[in-house]
């Protein structure tokens, strides 16, 4: 085999974090995923085996959602297994990247979590990273290897357009979501309003100001992720106080749904809540959630990366 050449076809290695998404991506690629064997020792250590990957162009699919640290370590060990197994190139496909919100330090003495996570993913053997709508563009800046930042906004916007209620304004629930809101707004032909949010703790936020006209309008609140639901709850309550119609749509790429998420979101007048399958469904007690798949998006990206093609139309707008 010539140096730099690959065994035919991309090789998809699936961790245990999200087997259903791995199956769906494999179907889109028309390949069989290589399911990793992961042994757990009595003390909690993991020992994954990635299967035969020698000379292959390998894509390790492993979102690092909850339990974040276990899934992160499994990803790292899978990358190492692939590298030691002779993979010709190894791409970490991490649709949801845990620790992405730790992209800056707010106090002296704090860790810079994203930077450390980026360093260990690269050190473990990733030649490239694929993510979907990460918390901020800092992800690309902190990784020392190429990053393909895919966006689920077009598939989520299409799902919004296909259902009811029909929103009249796109709302960014904090300043960090403005670019995302502008992307939805451009696709749906809607104006944008912006909430100024103040984070009081990991689970508590306050929505302080609203810029933009919302009176009488059905709002589409958009965000990269819903974790405890505090951001969406605060935004929706502020929208209602400012006269928005009590028929809100919420679209977020990553439905993490931890802690009080169901209790916070359940009582709100949210008519539709759309998330993607970047993470396995974690909150069965929250009714009315529509899940839109990113499997085709990821499969398309892998196909193009393997073939050396451009990804431009799949990427987050900067
Ligand atoms: C933070 O700025 C993110 O974009 C999300 O708004 C936030 O992480 C959502 O978390 P939660 O649902 O806990 O408010």
């Amino acid at each position: 085999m010539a140096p730099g050449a690959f065994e035919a076809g991309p090789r998809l290695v699936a961790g245990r974090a999200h087997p259903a998404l791995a199956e769906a991506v494999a179907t889109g690629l028309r390949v069989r995923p290589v399911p990793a064997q992961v042994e757990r020792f009595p003390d909690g250590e993991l020992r994954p085996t990635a299967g035969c990957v020698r000379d292959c162009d390998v894509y390790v699919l492993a979102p690092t959602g909850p339990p974040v640290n276990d899934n992160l370590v499994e990803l790292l060990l899978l990358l190492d297994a692939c590298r030691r197994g002779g993979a010709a190139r190894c791409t970490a496909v991490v649709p949801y990247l845990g620790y992405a919100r730790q992209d800056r330090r707010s106090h002296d003495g704090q860790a810079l979590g994203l930077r450390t996570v980026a360093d260990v993913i690269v050190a473990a053997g990733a030649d490239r990273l694929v993510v979907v709508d990460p918390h901020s563009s800092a992800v690309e800046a902190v990784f020392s290897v190429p990053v393909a930042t895919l966006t689920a906004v077009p598939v989520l916007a299409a799902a919004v357009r296909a259902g009811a209620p029909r929103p009249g304004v796109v709302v960014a629930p904090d300043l960090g979501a403005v670019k995302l809101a502008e992307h939805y707004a451009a696709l749906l032909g809607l104006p944008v309003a912006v909430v100024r949010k103040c984070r009081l703790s990991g689970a508590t936020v306050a929505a302080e100001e609203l810029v933009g006209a919302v009176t009488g309008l059905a709002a589409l609140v958009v965000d990269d992720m819903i974790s405890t639901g505090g951001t969406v709850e605060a935004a929706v309550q502020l929208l209602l106080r400012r006269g928005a119609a009590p028929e809100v749509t919420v679209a977020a790429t990553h439905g993490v749904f931890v802690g009080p998420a169901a209790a916070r979101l359940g009582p709100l007048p949210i008519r539709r809540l759309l998330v993607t399958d970047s993470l396995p469904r974690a909150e069965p007690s929250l009714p009315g959630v529509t899940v839109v798949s990113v499997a085709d998006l990821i499969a398309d990206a892998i196909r193009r990366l393997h073939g050396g093609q451009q990804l431009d139309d799949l990427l987050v707008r900067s």
Side-chain angles (χ1 to χ4, degrees), residues 64-158:
T64 55
V68 176
N69 297 331
D70 261 18
N71 283 328
L72 176 62
V73 170
E74 184 175 308
L75 167 67
L76 298 175
L77 296 178
L78 279 173
L79 290 167
D80 186 67
C82 292
R83 183 179 51 175
R84 289 175 199 279
R89 184 172 62 185
C90 212
T91 301
V93 182
V94 191
Y96 171 79
L97 178 66
Y99 287 93
R101 288 183 290 177
Q102 293 190 35
D103 59 354
R104 70 186 92 95
R105 300 188 327 139
S106 41
H107 302 292
D108 192 19
Q110 267 182 351
L112 188 55
L114 173 60
R115 176 62 205 237
T116 304
V117 165
D119 286 350
V120 291
I121 289 175
V122 173
D127 299 304
R128 205 163 47 183
L129 176 77
V130 174
V131 284
V132 181
D133 289 327
H135 175 61
S136 78
S137 55
V139 169
E140 179 153 19
V142 300
F143 272 83
S144 59
V145 295
V147 176
T149 309
L150 309 181
T151 181
V153 171
V155 286
L156 284 163

Side-chain angles (χ1 to χ4, degrees), residues 101 135 174 197 199 202 205 223-231:
R101 288 183 290 177
H135 175 61
D174 57 28
K197 172 179 96 175
R199 183 165 282 287
V205 300
D223 210 347
D224 57 311
M225 63 188 282
I226 298 172
S227 182
T228 67
T231 300

